[in-house]
Amino acid sequence: MGKVLIIGAGGVGSVVVNKVAQNPDVFTEVVLASRTKSKCDALVEKIGAKNIKTDQVDADKVEELVALFKKHTPDIVINVALPYQDLTIMDACLECGVNYLDTANYEPIDEAKYEYSWQWAYKKRFEDAGLTAILGCGFDPGVTGVYTAYAAKHHFDEIQYLDIVDCNAGDHHKAFATNFNPEINIREITQRGKYYENGEWKETDPLSVHMPLTYPNIGPKESYLMYHEELESLTKNFPTLKRARFWMTFGQEYLTHLRVIQNIGMSRIDPVMYNGHEIVPIQFLKAVLPNPGDLGENYTGETSIGCRIRGLKDGKEMTYYVYNNCSHHAAYLETGAQGVSYTTGVPAMIGAKLFLEGIWKKPGVWNVEEFDPDPFMEQLNKQGLPWHEIFNGDLEL
């Protein structure tokens, strides 16, 4: 049906390649590219998909991306590289007439700032080119936006309160490790918290607001309010929202390590001089921490991510909780990756699948909640991320 080019061969990329290979009726041609071609070759060999081609590209360089796209002529690019590279890949897509999908919004490399303005600014250019760009098609952002759209379509006349809750109750048996790219992960967690209430954005000190929340099949876990990019698009696309927040769980040992990393300056994103060379401390830290893509084998426990929503239906207040629990071990057995990579990679494949099937296809730049949620929700159940609903339960928030 169509040719897909995947950029990025880390933990999420490995899941995307696995799931694309499981849907050969839609993904009839597949190319995997990253900065290190040998990583792509090893990944393709590991999953035994001999029909997948591999290539090398520096996604920081538009000219290299353009050459890659012209060589392989994909219908759509799945960008699971670094968020710093979103704009260069979008530029190359426009130059070559290629459609685009990513899992995380752009952020500048020299500033920990999550904002859609840079990518939304491409809207008219993609419209004029007749190309589709799908933004934030992972789990959060991604599935959480689809969950919200599904709730608005089927269960509410007016959504008023939204709390996205993300729990990782897994154990990777490491003293300290991040579940995805350490540089991105630590930047995200150490920035100031932010949430939306009564038409305004309100800020908090990093991880200063927290409370225990009860997660299905897991139990109570301390959950911390922080900013996450889908809040920006969801408050724009669902203007009846009176409040929107994002919560994530962290263990005390993780937070202690994080505090030490900050206190000794290893989370800095500005360069320092060392032995006559400029190094960025957080990039050095990334080099010495465990690779998130290698955590899967001994990872136990599960994730639980969902949306807790309150609003009106037929003039009456109701609550709705829609969520997925994902076993790290089951994810590893299927794809060789842990659950956090799995929950990001599967939705990216689904978004590209729906595009190639002509279901999620319209010129411009779109967040996932701006498409019909129903076919996506159907695919989640079929592709390994089944969802569950609780009506009129205690949201705790």
Side-chain angles (χ1 to χ4, degrees):
M1 183 177 287
K3 180 186 280 192
V4 63
L5 192 155
I6 303 158
I7 301 178
V12 177
S14 70
V15 175
V16 174
V17 173
N18 269 278
K19 301 303 286 191
V20 160
Q22 291 176 28
N23 290 269
D25 54 324
V26 174
F27 301 100
T28 49
E29 294 183 74
V30 183
V31 180
L32 174 64
S34 79
R35 193 185 300 267
T36 309
K37 185 175 182 295
S38 59
K39 285 181 65 177
C40 301
D41 295 334
L43 182 52
V44 170
E45 183 178 351
K46 183 179 178 182
I47 65 174
K50 295 177 181 175
N51 60 324
I52 297 178
K53 299 176 183 175
T54 62
D55 214 324
Q56 189 276 332
V57 70
D58 182 347
D60 291 323
K61 298 176 180 176
V62 175
E63 62 273 16
E64 285 197 24
L65 290 161
V66 167
L68 181 75
F69 294 175
K70 287 182 176 178
K71 177 180 176 181
H72 295 288
T73 63
D75 296 301
I76 187 168
V77 166
I78 299 179
N79 168 18
V80 283
L82 294 172
Y84 319 137
Q85 297 163 330
D86 289 358
L87 301 188
T88 54
I89 297 173
M90 292 178 80
D91 286 335
C93 284
L94 286 168
E95 189 166 335
C96 299
V98 177
N99 299 280
Y100 173 87
L101 179 146
D102 67 29
T103 63
N105 73 354
Y106 172 76
E107 61 172 289
I109 195 167
D110 57 353
E111 185 180 7
K113 186 176 183 180
Y114 301 84
E115 196 174 289
Y116 273 118
S117 60
W118 290 287
Q119 290 180 278
W120 284 346
Y122 280 67
K123 188 174 183 69
K124 188 172 188 308
R125 293 166 66 190
F126 270 79
E127 283 177 359
D128 292 346
L131 297 172
T132 300
I134 302 171
L135 305 184
C137 197
F139 206 109
D140 45 348
V143 174
T144 51
V146 176
Y147 281 171
T148 305
Y150 184 82
K153 179 177 179 179
H154 294 284
H155 301 310
F156 289 91
D157 297 323
E158 184 177 310
I159 287 181
Q160 296 177 327
Y161 299 93
L162 167 66
D163 285 280
I164 297 168
V165 291
D166 183 328
C167 171
N168 180 13
D171 184 358
H172 46 53
H173 307 287
K174 305 282 186 185
F176 182 83
T178 60
N179 291 293
F180 57 94
N181 184 293
E183 187 177 351
I184 304 301
N185 195 192
I186 292 171
R187 283 167 60 124
E188 176 183 291
I189 293 165
T190 55
Q191 68 171 329
R192 287 178 64 77
K194 190 166 71 168
Y195 66 98
Y196 180 84
E197 188 169 40
N198 295 325
E200 296 179 345
W201 290 100
K202 299 185 177 181
E203 290 196 5
T204 64
D205 290 334
L207 305 181
S208 62
V209 178
H210 53 94
M211 62 187 293
L213 297 175
T214 305
Y215 294 87
N217 203 43
I218 293 169
K221 291 285 183 181
E222 199 68 16
S223 306
Y224 294 78
L225 187 146
M226 52 186 286
Y227 181 63
H228 226 240
E229 62 236 59
E230 66 262 48
L231 295 180
E232 182 183 11
S233 68
L234 289 170
T235 53
K236 168 178 168 279
N237 290 318
F238 296 94
T240 60
L241 278 170
K242 295 180 179 179
R243 189 184 67 209
R245 301 179 296 190
F246 183 97
W247 305 81
M248 185 175 280
T249 63
F250 302 101
Q252 283 306 309
E253 187 173 2
Y254 181 94
L255 293 177
T256 299
H257 277 84
L258 187 66
R259 187 165 62 251
V260 172
I261 286 168
Q262 288 180 277
N263 287 345
I264 63 176
M266 287 305 297
S267 64
R268 286 175 55 176
I269 62 176
D270 56 313
V272 299
M273 293 301 297
Y274 174 74
N275 281 354
H277 299 279
E278 269 196 356
I279 65 165
V280 176
I282 199 170
Q283 292 177 357
F284 175 79
L285 179 67
K286 174 186 173 183
V288 298
L289 286 176
N291 178 359
D294 296 334
L295 295 175
E297 185 172 6
N298 299 308
Y299 219 135
T300 55
E302 61 188 319
T303 65
S304 182
I305 313 173
C307 294
R308 303 185 184 195
I309 300 170
R310 182 155 49 101
L312 299 176
K313 179 67 174 179
D314 298 327
K316 297 178 181 178
E317 185 174 279
M318 68 168 282
T319 69
Y320 176 67
Y321 181 15
V322 55
Y323 67 92
N324 162 266
N325 277 35
C326 178
S327 159
H328 287 291
H329 185 61
Y332 176 75
L333 291 179
E334 182 188 346
T335 64
Q338 36 90 349
V340 176
S341 296
Y342 189 87
T343 56
T344 306
V346 173
M349 180 280 293
I350 293 174
K353 180 177 185 289
L354 294 180
F355 168 80
L356 290 173
E357 291 172 335
I359 299 170
W360 273 23
K361 185 176 185 178
K362 52 184 178 180
V365 174
W366 309 97
N367 293 90
V368 293
E369 66 268 18
E370 297 178 275
F371 293 96
D372 181 5
D374 291 4
F376 196 102
M377 294 289 278
E378 181 183 350
Q379 284 297 311
L380 286 171
N381 284 329
K382 292 179 178 179
Q383 302 290 345
L385 291 175
W387 45 277
H388 312 277
E389 299 172 299
I390 299 173
F391 292 91
N392 292 318
D394 179 9
L395 297 184
E396 304 179 293
L397 290 157

